[in-house]
Amino acid sequence: MKRIAIDMDDVLADAEGRFFELAKLRYGLDINPIDLHDKTWAQAANVPHEEIWAWLFEEDFFRKMKVKPHSQEVVKKLSNKYEIFIVSAAVEFPQSMKEKLDWLHEFFPFIDWKYVVFCGHKYMIKADYLIDDHQKNLATFTGKPILYSAYHNKNVKGYTRVEDWKEVEKLLL
Amino acid sequence: MKRIAIDMDDVLADAEGRFFELAKLRYGLDINPIDLHDKTWAQAANVPHEEIWAWLFEEDFFRKMKVKPHSQEVVKKLSNKYEIFIVSAAVEFPQSMKEKLDWLHEFFPFIDWKYVVFCGHKYMIKADYLIDDHQKNLATFTGKPILYSAYHNKNVKGYTRVEDWKEVEKLLL
């Protein structure tokens, strides 16, 4: 059975949507998605980096992300044919890990805790596929990398790109 | 550079020592280490499994473990020759992960968060060596497994066994 490693933020969970929501709530900004192309959230909102960075350590920042459309049904289908591991670089945000487990338990209750990995680097994960939105993770991965589209990676070239979970389904099922 | 994956509980951190300490404090028991051979903590203390299991979800259970003798100096030396990843099956105990990071920060401050992995299964970790006290992790590991002696694994056969960190040093340096 082939193994797929799946990232969380901006792949299963709508991290950019959470940013748009808080940028509106806190700064009254309607961020244009194009402003995230090759930019950090702080650059897009035109506020100091430290200010946005602090969000990532706030209670419920990760817990309240919305689930990406069709991710639940497609991951469920994939799990019949592949071994699924959720691999999130969450160790940087210690308080996020329990929230991420609670979030997975709510939206992906069929994924057992033994198949959840919180890490920093991902290059030591042995899998056939990695679905991730960050080039740094895909570039060093030893299996087949799949770039999950996000506004921030629109200009990244050289990877198999999927726009949404329906495209993942077509690609892998 | 070869890569070593190192477990935490009963390898870097004295988990059995924490059990002895709490068995004394809570039940007045002086556990004989031999009583842990092939037994669970609950069996060794002769109390219901659920009672000891609940300890693992208590605040500070993991944070207050002592560091294993010579582990700090030997891991530091190893880190000059090998790439070191800390790989702990901590996802089962969601509250433990922050404590384990704080513990690592105190005792192994030279290990960057990017090299810490919290997981369930370990067989998808790609490394040249795994130092672990549990046969279930070693048996499925694709590199060279090294059994770190603990009272609970005294009867496990078929692995390169190290009794302490000085023996790890001899073996790998």
Side-chain angles (χ1 to χ4, degrees):
Chain A
M1 195 179 240
K2 288 196 171 182
R3 184 179 300 150
I4 308 177
I6 303 176
D7 180 35
M8 288 184 72
D9 296 334
D10 278 332
V11 175
L12 295 177
D14 186 6
E16 287 182 334
R18 186 83 170 118
F19 164 67
F20 294 145
E21 179 191 328
L22 290 179
K24 179 70 179 173
L25 190 71
R26 297 183 179 184
Y27 306 124
L29 291 173
D30 287 302
I31 304 282
N32 185 339
I34 209 170
D35 287 342
L36 279 179
H37 293 194
D38 305 314
K39 285 194 188 141
T40 65
W41 290 358
Q43 287 165 337
N46 197 25
V47 297
H49 169 76
E50 296 69 25
E51 211 165 301
I52 305 273
W53 188 248
W55 295 4
L56 307 180
F57 296 89
E58 285 179 15
E59 198 181 317
D60 278 346
F61 178 80
F62 292 92
R63 183 66 184 86
K64 291 199 171 162
M65 286 184 189
K66 293 192 172 56
V67 66
K68 287 270 201 176
H70 305 294
S71 61
Q72 292 159 292
E73 65 196 61
V74 175
V75 174
K76 179 75 182 158
K77 283 182 198 170
L78 286 170
S79 72
N80 295 323
K81 190 178 165 190
Y82 298 91
E83 185 183 58
I84 305 294
F85 272 87
I86 306 302
V87 180
S88 174
V91 173
E92 191 167 15
F93 313 108
Q95 91 297 346
S96 77
M97 292 185 279
K98 187 173 181 313
E99 290 191 14
K100 280 171 178 267
L101 281 177
D102 291 342
W103 189 94
L104 284 170
H105 188 69
E106 178 178 348
F107 295 111
F108 297 86
F110 54 90
I111 293 176
D112 188 271
W113 68 269
K114 292 189 185 76
Y115 296 85
V116 178
V117 182
F118 295 132
C119 55
H121 291 305
K122 299 188 180 180
Y123 56 76
M124 74 300 167
I125 299 294
K126 193 165 44 181
D128 298 285
Y129 302 93
L130 170 64
I131 306 175
D132 205 291
D133 63 311
H134 282 292
Q135 188 175 20
K136 67 182 176 193
N137 296 326
L138 298 170
T140 54
F141 178 61
T142 53
K144 180 169 171 40
I146 298 171
L147 179 66
Y148 195 97
S149 261
Y151 296 121
H152 73 78
N153 68 29
K154 284 293 181 199
N155 294 323
V156 172
K157 308 277 185 215
Y159 296 94
T160 298
R161 177 185 288 269
V162 288
E163 290 298 331
D164 53 36
W165 276 95
K166 284 292 186 188
E167 286 198 13
V168 177
E169 183 174 15
K170 269 183 232 156
L171 186 70
L172 294 174
L173 286 173
Chain B
M1 196 180 236
K2 289 196 171 182
R3 184 179 302 150
I4 308 176
I6 303 176
D7 179 35
M8 287 184 74
D9 296 333
D10 278 331
V11 174
L12 295 177
D14 186 7
E16 289 184 330
R18 186 84 170 117
F19 165 67
F20 294 146
E21 179 192 327
L22 290 179
K24 178 72 180 172
L25 189 72
R26 297 184 178 184
Y27 306 123
L29 291 173
D30 288 303
I31 305 282
N32 185 340
I34 208 170
D35 288 341
L36 279 180
H37 292 194
D38 303 313
K39 284 193 189 143
T40 66
W41 290 358
Q43 287 165 336
N46 197 25
V47 297
H49 169 77
E50 295 70 25
E51 211 164 301
I52 303 273
W53 189 249
W55 294 5
L56 307 180
F57 295 88
E58 286 179 13
E59 198 180 319
D60 278 346
F61 179 79
F62 292 93
R63 184 66 183 89
K64 291 198 169 162
M65 286 186 190
K66 292 189 174 58
V67 67
K68 288 270 200 176
H70 305 293
S71 60
Q72 293 158 292
E73 66 198 61
V74 175
V75 173
K76 180 74 182 158
K77 284 182 198 171
L78 286 170
S79 71
N80 294 322
K81 189 179 165 189
Y82 298 91
E83 186 183 56
I84 304 294
F85 272 87
I86 306 300
V87 180
S88 174
V91 173
E92 190 167 15
F93 312 109
Q95 91 297 348
S96 79
M97 292 185 278
K98 186 171 182 316
E99 291 191 14
K100 281 172 177 264
L101 282 177
D102 291 342
W103 189 93
L104 284 169
H105 188 69
E106 177 178 351
F107 294 112
F108 297 86
F110 55 89
I111 293 176
D112 188 89
W113 68 268
K114 291 189 185 77
Y115 296 86
V116 177
V117 182
F118 295 132
C119 55
H121 291 305
K122 298 188 180 180
Y123 57 76
M124 73 303 168
I125 299 294
K126 192 163 48 179
D128 297 285
Y129 301 94
L130 170 63
I131 307 175
D132 204 292
D133 63 310
H134 282 292
Q135 188 176 20
K136 66 181 177 195
N137 296 325
L138 298 170
T140 53
F141 178 60
T142 53
K144 180 170 169 41
I146 297 171
L147 179 67
Y148 195 98
S149 260
Y151 296 120
H152 73 78
N153 69 29
K154 283 295 182 198
N155 295 322
V156 171
K157 307 278 186 216
Y159 295 94
T160 297
R161 177 186 287 271
V162 288
E163 290 298 330
D164 54 35
W165 277 94
K166 284 292 187 187
E167 286 198 12
V168 177
E169 184 175 14
K170 270 182 231 156
L171 186 69
L172 295 174
L173 286 172

